[in-house]
Amino acid sequence: MADKEMVRFAIDGQEVEAEKGTMLLPVALEYGFEIPHLCYHEAVSPYGACRLCLVEVTKRGRTRLTTSCNYPVDEGIDVTTDSEDIQRARRMILELLLARAPHSERIKKLAYEAGIKETRFSLMDVGDCILCGLCERVCREVVGADAISFISRGDKRDVGPPFADPIACIACGACVYICPTDCIKMEERGDERTIVKWNRTLKMQECKSCGKPFAPLFQLNWIIDKVNLPKDFYDLCPVCRAGR
Ligand code: SF4
Ligand code: SF4
Ligand code: FES
């Protein structure tokens, strides 16, 4: 295998090193620089949707504001993580996000840290989704179910199952976990699990030993088929399996 090509560059005057082409945000975070971000997660590909991770990059004498989560690092670039221009742009973005997701604790905290107490923009009633696309990416790239996607355009742009039919959703909860505004809720009642935002309710498998429901049957069969496991592989819940 070819050796990795490493590049050296500066972040806020500190020399750092990373593999050429790595995205700037994870490198900066690893070195301990604080850059706010909402639509980035190391488990999925970058998308550049929220624009909160803005930095200034100087390359060959030219400086420009750019999102860092989808900016590939290169030899000799000079990165600034905090400047008047960055702060001004970030405050504007946060005010817009606050208008879109006024109940999100994560956004309220980011806004507070940026010195914003209220937004000048009209509040929207869109259920706190900021269209960051993390749920869609984790479902497609990590889970492999590809059950949700962006739908509609313009003001109506949203994320959800195609044709409002969540037939491919295995109710695994990965999208619930990754959503930065906590707007995808999961409920478990009796032997049923519901992913509220996608209107998907599935029956849970009951453990053959202790009788407790522990995961959606549809999800377990989906994994059994995908990885070619024995049909009785998920007869026991993780606790009973561990004590076997
Ligand atoms: S709960 Fe459904 S939509 Fe969410 S990641 Fe799992 S399969 Fe995809
Ligand atoms: S539901 Fe959550 S994860 Fe999905 S796009 Fe909206 S804010 Fe992002
Ligand atoms: S984290 Fe970079 S644009 Fe959202």
Side-chain angles (χ1 to χ4, degrees), residues 97 116 181:
L97 287 169
I116 297 162
T181 59

Side-chain angles (χ1 to χ4, degrees), residues 25 37-40 48-53 67 69:
L25 179 63
H37 53 278
L38 279 169
C39 72
Y40 169 81
C50 73
R51 305 205 58 80
L52 205 58
C53 64
T67 47
C69 64

